[in-house]
């Protein structure tokens, strides 16, 4: 009889889990709404918890009659998700006061380190649409999910739609700033023996500029496609070089190559081409490639392990052949590219640092 009861409880829990994951999109949309309304910034600017009426009065509404009931229902869910706190205030009204948590502080536009642009990018309908094509990707293969959804690959789409391109670039910039702060604080000694550093796929050069600022002895080179570096601002100690990382001999010679969130965009065969070209650009005995990317732990219980697995599905949605990789997958790929030795350095962030050596 007890076994039947346990089975019934397990079955009921299974049903509850399906409901939870089926409707998980509501969490994302609620999060998006408070970022769009800048509710974390409103609370932060006052310096203390606020009532719904106080929050609503500070929102830049096109309509003079905000729907406070709707707002209360969104906030109720996000309190349950620990994005905000709530407690009853004193006095006769006893209205509920809403405050910030460590989570909502990452949604502040005005903070140096923020994920607000990433929230707006990843919840944008254009970037979410490819996820409706996962089953077609399984059945058909062929073009990536983004191309199935929009008729062209993401790079071409962005070149034709400047607003979504700006939204995406803002998201990449905010995550880059977060990751670089962690790298410079925790990657102890990683750049000490480097006199010349090339950031492959460095965009407009913000990452290598931060490294050079922290290590002024380094001669930094920002390497990306010519049209990308053409718009790059000037940074002290950094030069911009245009080229294609897939072209042999295109990557400038250096003591070390830096690649942050580049390889996960590409298939194994493409990554091997890129890494081969990197290997030829560094000294055989003393050179190294510094890779900043996710190292998947599919069964791990670390703080970011679950997010890493979700990011792997983003690669299906937004890239052609890109993926997040486990350590064994990294090892195999690095060996095929001529890097028999590597070292994984864990940092308090979603990605890890992988040092790869040609000998």
């Amino acid at each position: 009889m007890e076994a039947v009861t346990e089975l019934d409880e397990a079955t009921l829990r299974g049903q509850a889990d399906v409901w939870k994951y089926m409707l998980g999109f509501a969490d994302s949309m609620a999060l998006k709404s408070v970022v769009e309304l800048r509710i974390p910034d409103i609370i932060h600017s006052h310096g203390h918890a606020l009532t719904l009426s106080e929050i609503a009065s500070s929102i830049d509404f096109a309509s003079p009659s905000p729907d406070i009931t709707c707002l209360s229902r969104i906030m109720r869910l996000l309190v349950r998700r620990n994005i905000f706190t709530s407690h009853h205030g004193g006095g006769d009204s006893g209205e509920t006061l809403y405050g910030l948590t460590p989570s909502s502080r990452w949604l502040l536009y005005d903070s140096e380190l923020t994920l607000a642009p990433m929230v707006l990018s990843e919840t944008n309908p254009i970037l979410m649409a490819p996820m409706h094509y996962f089953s077609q990707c399984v059945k058909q293969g062929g073009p990536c999910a983004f191309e199935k959804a929009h008729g062209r690959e993401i790079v071409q789409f962005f070149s034709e739609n400047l607003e979504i391109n700006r939204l995406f670039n803002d998201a990449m910039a905010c995550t880059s700033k977060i990751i670089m702060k962690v790298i410079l604080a925790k990657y102890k000694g990683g750049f000490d023996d480097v006199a010349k550093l090339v950031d492959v796929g460095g965009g407009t050069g913000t990452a290598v500029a931060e490294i050079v600022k922290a290590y002024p002895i380094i001669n930094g080179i920002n390497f990306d496609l010519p049209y990308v570096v053409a718009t790059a601002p000037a940074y002290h100690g950094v030069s911009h070089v245009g080229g294609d990382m897939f072209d042999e001999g295109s990557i400038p010679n250096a003591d070390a190559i830096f690649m942050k969130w580049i390889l996960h965009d590409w298939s194994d065969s493409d990554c091997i081409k890129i890494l081969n070209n990197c290997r030829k650009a560094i000294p055989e005995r003393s050179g190294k490639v510094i890779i900043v990317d996710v190292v998947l732990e599919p069964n791990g219980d670390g703080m970011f392990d679950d997010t890493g697995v979700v990011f792997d599905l983003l690669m299906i949605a937004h890239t052609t052949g890109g993926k997040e990789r486990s350590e064994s997958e990294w090892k195999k790929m690095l060996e095929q590219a001529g890097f028999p030795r590597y070292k994984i350095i864990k940092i308090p962030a979603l990605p890890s640092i992988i040092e790869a050596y040609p000998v």
Side-chain angles (χ1 to χ4, degrees):
M1 219 27 208
E2 185 176 344
V4 173
T5 302
E6 289 177 355
L7 178 62
D8 287 347
E9 289 178 0
T11 301
L12 194 60
R13 172 50 56 191
Q15 181 194 151
D17 284 345
V18 170
W19 280 110
K20 175 182 176 181
Y21 301 129
M22 180 201 317
L23 300 174
F25 65 87
D27 292 349
S28 300
M29 294 302 103
L31 201 64
K32 177 184 183 179
S33 69
V34 297
V35 170
E36 289 178 327
L37 295 169
R38 301 206 173 203
I39 289 174
D41 292 281
I42 290 170
I43 297 172
H44 182 256
S45 68
H46 284 77
H48 55 78
L50 300 176
T51 66
L52 289 172
S53 298
E54 290 170 330
I55 293 170
S57 67
S58 298
I59 294 173
D60 182 20
F61 279 104
S63 166
S65 304
D67 189 333
I68 293 181
T69 301
C70 179
L71 177 61
S72 72
R73 292 157 73 179
I74 293 169
M75 294 296 284
R76 178 170 59 192
L77 175 65
L78 293 179
V79 167
R80 190 174 178 87
R81 298 294 184 260
N82 296 315
I83 302 298
F84 296 102
T85 63
S86 69
H87 64 274
H88 291 293
D92 296 334
S93 66
E95 287 187 77
T96 301
L97 297 169
Y98 295 88
L100 301 180
T101 68
S103 296
S104 47
R105 291 185 182 278
W106 284 97
L107 304 177
L108 296 170
Y109 275 92
D110 300 330
S111 176
E112 179 190 2
L113 301 179
T114 177
L115 283 170
M118 190 69 171
V119 170
L120 296 181
S121 175
E122 292 304 325
T123 57
N124 183 276
I126 290 172
L127 292 177
M128 293 185 73
M131 298 181 188
H132 291 279
Y133 291 81
F134 284 168
S135 60
Q136 288 191 27
C137 289
V138 172
K139 291 190 291 185
Q140 302 169 358
C144 70
F146 193 93
E147 188 172 348
K148 289 181 187 296
H150 299 297
R152 49 215 184 276
E153 291 189 354
I154 195 167
V155 174
Q156 182 184 351
F157 187 93
F158 282 176
S159 69
E160 300 167 355
N161 297 270
L162 297 182
E163 182 58 28
I164 187 67
N165 185 55
R166 181 198 61 77
L167 190 70
F168 183 81
N169 287 340
D170 287 349
M172 295 303 100
C174 81
T175 54
S176 178
K177 188 177 291 188
I178 292 167
I179 298 304
M180 287 310 304
K181 191 174 184 68
V182 175
I183 289 171
L184 292 174
K186 299 299 182 180
Y187 186 37
K188 300 298 185 183
F191 299 108
D192 286 351
D193 57 349
V194 177
K196 189 175 182 182
L197 178 73
V198 175
D199 184 356
V200 170
T204 56
T206 54
V208 70
E210 286 296 311
I211 295 171
V212 170
K213 186 177 179 182
Y215 296 84
I217 195 172
I218 292 178
N219 172 19
I221 298 175
N222 176 52
F223 178 80
D224 212 311
L225 294 169
Y227 82 89
V228 176
V229 299
T231 62
Y235 296 104
H236 179 72
V238 175
S239 56
H240 300 288
V241 176
D244 190 330
M245 61 188 175
F246 287 102
D247 292 343
E248 186 174 350
S250 183
I251 298 174
N253 292 330
D255 301 306
I257 302 289
F258 183 78
M259 284 190 291
K260 176 175 60 62
W261 265 337
I262 299 298
L263 296 181
H264 76 164
D265 288 334
W266 300 96
S267 67
D268 288 350
S269 59
D270 283 336
C271 286
I272 290 169
K273 290 177 187 176
I274 297 167
L275 287 165
N276 262 316
N277 290 336
C278 290
R279 178 171 50 79
K280 294 170 183 175
I282 58 176
E284 185 177 355
R285 294 290 173 186
S286 59
K288 65 181 177 181
V289 174
I290 304 164
I291 301 164
V292 180
D293 241 314
V294 169
V295 178
L296 272 186
E297 295 279 359
N299 300 314
D301 57 2
M303 195 176 296
F304 295 101
D305 287 340
D306 191 69
T307 306
V309 176
V310 174
F311 250 67
D312 187 44
L313 294 189
L314 290 182
M315 297 302 102
I316 297 176
H318 298 154
T319 72
T320 302
K323 61 181 179 179
E324 306 298 354
R325 297 172 171 90
S326 64
E327 180 175 353
S328 63
E329 289 173 313
W330 279 111
K331 180 177 185 293
K332 180 180 179 181
M333 191 171 72
L334 289 169
E335 287 175 347
Q336 290 176 342
F339 291 90
R341 290 195 304 122
Y342 70 92
K343 178 170 65 174
I344 293 176
I345 302 165
K346 296 287 187 180
I347 56 175
L350 175 57
S352 297
I353 295 171
I354 307 167
E355 284 187 346
Y357 317 100
V359 292

